[in-house]
């Protein structure tokens, strides 16, 4: 059996171990499977399976225990920051992290690297940053490269990402208008759930699923995302969503015109991670498309860190798609100046120079490799009908 | 006169978790600043935690513990006192709050 299949089977067992009629086979995990799991940051989920050696078993146990300890640290640090902000009239909702982990049979096994908090009132971002700075956090200057979040670090180095929007703005005004509408809806769809005895404000299931889908899409449109995010969806939808929450999810992905993308993601959960078909609220799509998607996902590793040439997935493969992405990158890098059309030629030149320089010095790849990778991934995003359905 | 706060029960304060083959006892009342790590428990301490979580009082836990382990009730009571002292839980005291919490 192939390494990838064993890993997928192991993930399926980890998520659906308690389901009725479970009759899964435990394949032996060897060093190659472990290495792939590590690249996708899912080694804790290997705990409890069969291993080719005792040394490997101990390595996984150690990973799982460290992850559990980190999970508890993040849990209580999240509690501290949520409460601190709330006491100063800055309401937030917890994204990803513990709010995604709660759907796992053992939440401690979901790897998390930071604390993501969404400001319910984005105009409070300065006040929130100032408050966190007064409480031992500092702004991490070289991490402020995205328009939708502000990154701070606490005294132990834990990153706190204050989101002013669920995800980074997209390259189309109509999509961003949907994003803004969604932001207005969110305060009415918050629940306070108990995670290990600690209450947290989180998005209701349908909104949570939609937020994760937008997050996954954002990564897919950049360098890609790995197995961990796919497992997040399998874990979330392993719980039966209420009719109302299912309707919210279906409506939101439809509003964003990413139903095709969401169908591919959830169908992949059905095909590869054992999500029961009845719990997939969307149409089961073509297996061949899911195979291509899985191949992209497995080669991406966590957030597309596997290859320097993986930078973006275009909407298609034509010249217009390259130009559209180039313009979008320019706008993202220069959010204020790019609103003035007069500056665009200068900004385009700067973006191109930066792109070429980064390829040569930072990424150590060629522009051609980036274009080839973008074209291949663009063909996949075209077939998933991203922003078209 | 202000009414004295009811002491928290064990299950209100602690959550026992089992992950990676290890028992962790989380003090959920901590504020998170500073962060206090969970207690790592052995099998016996985890059994005691479960008895507390199930709502038994100290006297009954001592009886069950003595029975299960073939020891006297006074020895069992000492084990329980040691466990409570180790985790900072005042099982028989009127109040529980040991300081740095909310």
């Amino acid at each position: 059996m192939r390494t990838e299949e064993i890993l997928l089977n192991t993930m399926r067992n980890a998520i659906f171990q308690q389901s009725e009629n479970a009759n899964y086979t435990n394949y032996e995990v060897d060093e190659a499977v472990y290495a792939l799991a590590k690249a996708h940051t899912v080694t804790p989920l290997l705990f409890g399976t069969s291993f080719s050696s005792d040394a490997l078993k101990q390595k996984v146990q150690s990973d799982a225990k460290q992850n559990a300890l980190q999970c508890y640290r993040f849990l209580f640090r999240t509690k501290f920051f949520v409460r601190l902000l709330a006491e100063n009239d800055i309401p937030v909702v917890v994204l990803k992290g513990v709010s995604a982990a709660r759907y796992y049979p053992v939440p401690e096994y979901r790897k998390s690297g930071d604390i993501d908090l969404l400001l319910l009132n984005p105009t409070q971002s300065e006040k929130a940053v100032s408050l966190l700075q007064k409480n031992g956090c500092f702004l991490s200057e070289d991490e402020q490269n995205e328009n939708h979040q502000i990154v701070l670090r606490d005294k132990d180095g834990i990153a706190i990402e204050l989101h002013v929007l669920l995800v980074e703005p997209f390259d189309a005004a109509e999509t961003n208008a949907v994003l803004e509408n969604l932001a207005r809806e969110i305060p009415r769809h918050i629940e306070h759930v108990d995670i290990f005895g600690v209450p947290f404000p989180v998005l209701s299931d349908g909104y949570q699923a939609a937020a994760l889908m937008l997050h996954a899409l954002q990564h897919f449109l950049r360098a890609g995302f790995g197995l961990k995010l796919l497992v997040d969806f399998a874990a979330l939808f392993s719980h039966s969503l209420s009719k109302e929450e299912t309707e919210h999810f279906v409506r939101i992905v439809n509003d964003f015109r990413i139903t095709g993308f969401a169908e591919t993601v959830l169908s992949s959960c059905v095909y590869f991670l054992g999500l029961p078909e009845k719990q997939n609220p969307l149409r089961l799509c073509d297996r061949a498309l899911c195979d291509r998607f899985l191949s992209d996902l497995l080669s991406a590793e966590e957030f597309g860190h596997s290859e320097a040439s993986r930078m973006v997935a275009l909407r298609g493969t034509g010249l217009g798609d390259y130009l559209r992405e180039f313009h979008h990158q320019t706008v993202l890098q220069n959010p204020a100046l790019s609103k003035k059309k007069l500056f665009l030629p200068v900004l385009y030149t700067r973006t191109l120079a930066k792109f070429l320089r980064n390829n040569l010095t930072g990424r150590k790849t060629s522009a051609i490799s980036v274009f080839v990778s973008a074209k291949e991934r663009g063909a996949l995003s075209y077939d998933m009908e991203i922003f078209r359905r | 006169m202000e009414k004295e706060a009811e002491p928290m029960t064990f299950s209100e304060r602690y959550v026992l978790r089992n992950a990676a083959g290890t028992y962790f006892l989380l003090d959920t009342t901590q504020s998170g600043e500073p962060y206090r790590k969970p207690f790592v428990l052995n099998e016996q301490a985890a059994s005691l935690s479960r008895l507390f979580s199930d709502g038994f009082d100290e006297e009954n836990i001592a009886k069950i513990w003595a029975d299960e382990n073939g020891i006297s009730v006074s020895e069992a009571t000492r084990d329980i006192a040691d466990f409570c002292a180790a985790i900072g839980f005042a099982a028989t005291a009127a109040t529980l709050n040991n300081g740095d919490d909310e």
Side-chain angles (χ1 to χ4, degrees), chain A residues 229-240:
Chain A
L229 280 186
L230 194 69
V231 175
D232 276 352
F233 289 107
L236 195 156
F237 283 95
S238 71
H239 299 260
S240 295

Side-chain angles (χ1 to χ4, degrees), chain A residues 267-288:
Chain A
S267 298
S268 296
C269 290
V270 173
Y271 290 131
F272 310 121
L273 293 176
L275 176 69
E277 213 181 317
K278 63 175 190 232
Q279 279 169 245
N280 170 16
L282 302 173
R283 185 181 66 93
L284 189 67
C285 68
D286 181 35
R287 170 76 190 231

Side-chain angles (χ1 to χ4, degrees), chain A residues 47 61 64-65 68-69 72-73 75-77 79-80 83 105-109 135 155 196-198, chain B residues 12 15 17-22 24 26-38 40 102:
Chain A
F47 183 78
Q61 181 163 16
K65 188 174 173 183
L69 287 168
Y72 302 139
R73 177 182 289 274
L75 179 91
F76 289 108
R77 292 303 284 161
K79 175 185 179 182
F80 170 68
R83 176 168 291 193
V106 184
E108 285 92 335
Y109 296 162
N135 282 273
K155 57 186 185 304
F196 303 156
V198 182
Chain B
E12 282 169 341
V15 166
R17 300 287 308 164
N18 181 5
T22 306
F24 299 99
L26 312 181
D27 182 349
T28 63
T29 61
Q30 70 167 291
S31 68
E33 176 68 19
Y35 167 65
R36 293 203 313 271
K37 288 180 184 174
V40 175
E102 303 140 338

Side-chain angles (χ1 to χ4, degrees), chain A residues 10-11 13-14 17 26 29 34 42-51 56-65 106 109, chain B residues 18-22:
Chain A
T10 311
M11 297 295 105
N13 288 356
Q17 58 188 345
N26 241 350
V29 165
Y34 176 78
V42 291
T43 55
L45 289 162
L46 300 177
F47 183 78
T49 194
S50 312
F51 296 94
L56 190 56
K57 183 178 178 179
Q58 279 167 16
K59 208 150 57 170
V60 168
Q61 181 163 16
S62 169
D63 286 354
K65 188 174 173 183
V106 184
Y109 296 162
Chain B
N18 181 5
T22 306

